[in-house]
Structures are given as structure tokens and as C-alpha cells.
Amino acid sequence: MIRTAIVGAGGIAGICHVPALRAQAHRAEIVAAVDVDAARAQAFAAEHGIPEVYTDLHTMLDEQRPDLVHLCTPPFLHADQAVACLGAGAWVWCEKPVALSLAELDRIRAAEGRAVAGAVFQHRYGTGARYLRDRIAAGTLGRPLVAQCVTAWYRDDAYYDVPWRGTWESEGGGPTLGHGIHQMDLMLAVLGEWSEVRAMAGRLERDVQTEDVSTALVRFENGAIATVVNSVLSPREESYLRFDLTEATVELRHLYGYSNADWTFTTRSHTAQLADFLDGYEAGIRPDLGRSTMELVTALYKAAITGLPVRRGEIDAADPFYGALNGGLPGVFR
């Protein structure tokens, strides 16, 4: 059995990660829960029948020696926690965003050895997405030409009362990183690698440091061009993807998760991706950490802030945007 620990006893852990692990109960068991809030950790463990409870990650790693750790904590904790888990020999499955910068993400990758890390990007694992990718690869839908990728969500001022939200230091970015990243990852999973991005972003309404809306034009290596919108200012919320190919138009409309009615194909979720992740664990195959998606997010910020197009691969360790999505300029959006 794969001995698994859950770190962070918030909503995503109970709503998504526990059910996904229960669906894999024939090969994975939850042995411990960790949260800095002792009462919350105890309540979470009692609700889900988890035998051991901790308030300190390092103590749990020392005493339990888990094979796998699910990180469900705020984004600014991910890099340090992932490195600690990898150093203890545990594989890591981390909620999005995995890191606050390309530098942090590469630090996680550099810490891998026999244990490796993967990112939760469950939307790309839906059977609809897989079917579409297969049809594109087979050429039955023709060549991809145009795409639209929209994350139009709404988060009011009270949402940002949580101390770590809305700041470059603790959240890393605004809706481009924290909300739209799933739709952008699914777009990349369908269209392949991107080659260039031009973007605009701003803080139009919310009292935050980061952007509350961003827009971009993305060119792909296969020639396709996509428009991207990430917003937390949209009262009628919707997640929307559209792919126009030479022989077909494929659309997906949903909000936080899709089903047959949204994309005419079967839904897949954390449960589906975890199955693939555990397959990789058992086979010793390193999972995807989402670097291409994080590089696109970084390039979008750089393009929006500098007003210049950004090409894939140009953001290296010497680039100020490698270490922080705002390029070290906290007052960029006014």
C-alpha cells in the first residue's frame, strides 16, 4: 500500500483529495493529516477516519515516513514543504499553483531524487480532453487554428480578507496564477507548446497588490493563436474554452468542473489524475509538474508589465521575472 499523508486540512483536501484517495483505496491509504491549526486537523481526521494527526510537517515526516504527501496548503508554503517532503523520500502531489515563480518550481525539481513531485491539473485528465487530443493527433478534426480560453470568475472584497490572498509575496499573483491556470493548462494540453505571448493586465477594482484581470494573445508552435482572459470581476461566472479547427469547432462551457453536458464527453477529476499519478509512482515515472504552464503564466505577467512580447524560453535565471511574477516591482498595477 502507498502510505499517504494530507497536509492542509482546508476545503480542497476534504472535497477533492480525500475522495480521490478513497477511490484508490486498493493501493493507497491515508495514514496522517497535518495542519497548523490543531483543532482543524483533529476535526478533519475524525471526519475522514485518518488515524494520526500532526501540527508540524517535519514531525510527521520523521514519524510516519509516508510514501506520498498531498500538499493542500496556501501557495507560499508549497516550495518549502515540497522540498522537505522530497528530502524525506516522499513523493509529492501538490495543489495549484505549485509555486510562486519559475525559480521556486525549479527548486522543487532540483530537490527530486528517487522521490519526485507532480502538480494537480485535473482538467487535462477528463476523458473529453483526452478524446479531443486523440482526435487532433489523428487529424480527424483538422488543424487547430484559433482558440479562446476564458476564466471569468467573481471574487468580492471579502474573499481577499484572508491574509495571504492578493499579495505578491504570499499568493504570487492574481487570477492569472490562482484561477485561470487550470483553463490555460487544459488549453496547452490540447494545443501543445506555446511560442509567444503578448498581454495586458491591471488592478481595476479589488484592493490587492496583484492584478484582478489579465488578457493575452498566445501563439502556439503549431501556428494556432489563442486569446486568454483571466478575471475575478465577472458577476456571471463562466469557464470557457473554444477550439476552432479546419474541420470542427469544439467548445467547453462550465465553471469549476465539467461534465458530459458541458463538453459532451465524460467528466474526470482529481480521482482520475490521482490514478495516473499513482500509476507513475508504482512505475517510478516522474509526473508533470506543470512547468510549461507556469512559464506561460510568467510570460503573460512579463508581457503585461513590460509591454513587450515574450518568447518561450527567454525567461532564464537572470531574468527578474524568473524569481517573482511581478519582476520584483510590487506596484506595477494601478
Side-chain angles (χ1 to χ4, degrees):
M1 294 290 282
I2 301 171
R3 302 177 71 257
T4 305
I6 296 177
V7 180
I12 196 72
I15 294 170
C16 296
H17 286 259
V18 171
L21 283 163
R22 297 303 188 210
Q24 297 292 324
H26 60 288
R27 58 175 170 172
E29 60 177 337
I30 308 173
V31 299
V34 183
D35 197 285
V36 293
D37 185 323
R40 183 167 57 193
Q42 290 284 354
F44 180 82
E47 179 183 358
H48 299 293
I50 300 172
E52 301 294 337
V53 179
Y54 295 85
T55 57
D56 180 73
L57 171 63
H58 298 279
T59 303
M60 184 278 293
L61 292 172
D62 289 341
E63 294 185 2
Q64 293 297 321
R65 294 292 174 182
D67 302 308
L68 169 64
V69 175
H70 288 221
L71 290 182
C72 307
T73 49
F76 69 95
L77 297 172
H78 288 172
D80 285 344
Q81 290 179 338
V83 169
C85 293
L86 293 168
W91 281 47
V92 173
W93 200 38
C94 186
E95 268 296 337
K96 61 83 183 169
V98 173
L100 304 190
S101 66
L102 286 170
E104 283 194 354
L105 191 143
D106 287 347
R107 179 179 161 225
I108 294 171
R109 207 41 122 193
E112 294 177 332
R114 294 184 64 183
V116 296
V120 174
F121 282 124
Q122 73 273 22
H123 286 220
R124 71 166 82 159
Y125 287 84
T127 53
R130 289 177 166 179
Y131 182 82
L132 177 57
R133 291 199 299 271
D134 289 345
R135 299 287 70 76
I136 291 175
T140 57
L141 301 180
R143 183 166 59 89
L145 301 173
V146 182
Q148 299 174 45
C149 178
V150 177
T151 301
W153 292 3
Y154 187 81
R155 298 293 184 266
D156 60 16
D157 290 329
Y159 174 82
Y160 292 99
D161 288 342
V162 176
W164 58 265
R165 288 180 178 152
T167 70
W168 292 107
E169 183 178 2
S170 58
E171 194 170 21
T176 312
L177 177 68
H179 301 84
I181 195 168
H182 276 308
Q183 292 299 105
M184 289 189 287
D185 182 74
L186 180 51
M187 176 181 68
L188 293 180
V190 172
L191 293 180
E193 289 289 4
W194 62 276
S195 59
E196 180 183 349
V197 60
R198 300 168 186 251
M200 297 181 70
R203 185 173 68 245
L204 306 184
E205 185 68 14
R206 299 291 169 256
D207 184 19
V208 295
Q209 292 180 0
T210 65
E211 87 287 358
D212 52 20
V213 65
S214 71
T215 61
L217 294 174
V218 181
R219 187 187 304 275
F220 286 81
E221 289 186 352
N222 62 14
I225 295 177
T227 60
V228 178
V229 176
N230 301 298
S231 167
V232 288
L233 305 179
S234 306
R236 187 183 74 79
E237 296 186 290
E238 182 178 48
S239 301
Y240 177 61
L241 276 167
R242 174 173 174 145
F243 301 97
D244 291 314
L245 305 99
T246 54
E247 304 299 328
T249 292
V250 180
E251 294 178 275
L252 170 64
R253 292 184 183 274
H254 67 105
L255 187 51
Y256 302 133
Y258 57 87
S259 68
N260 285 354
D262 304 315
W263 196 347
T264 70
F265 303 128
T266 304
T267 185
R268 299 291 293 274
S269 63
H270 280 65
T271 300
Q273 187 183 352
L274 180 59
D276 276 33
F277 190 88
L278 296 182
D279 287 344
Y281 174 87
E282 292 173 338
I285 299 172
R286 188 171 76 177
D288 184 15
L289 196 55
R291 195 182 195 285
S292 182
T293 305
M294 187 66 181
E295 189 180 4
L296 174 59
V297 168
T298 306
L300 194 157
Y301 277 112
K302 181 177 180 180
I305 292 169
T306 65
L308 300 172
V310 178
R311 298 187 182 280
R312 189 167 68 88
E314 77 172 56
I315 301 176
D316 58 21
D319 193 304
F321 289 87
Y322 179 79
L325 293 180
N326 64 348
L329 305 170
V332 291
F333 298 136
R334 295 180 171 85

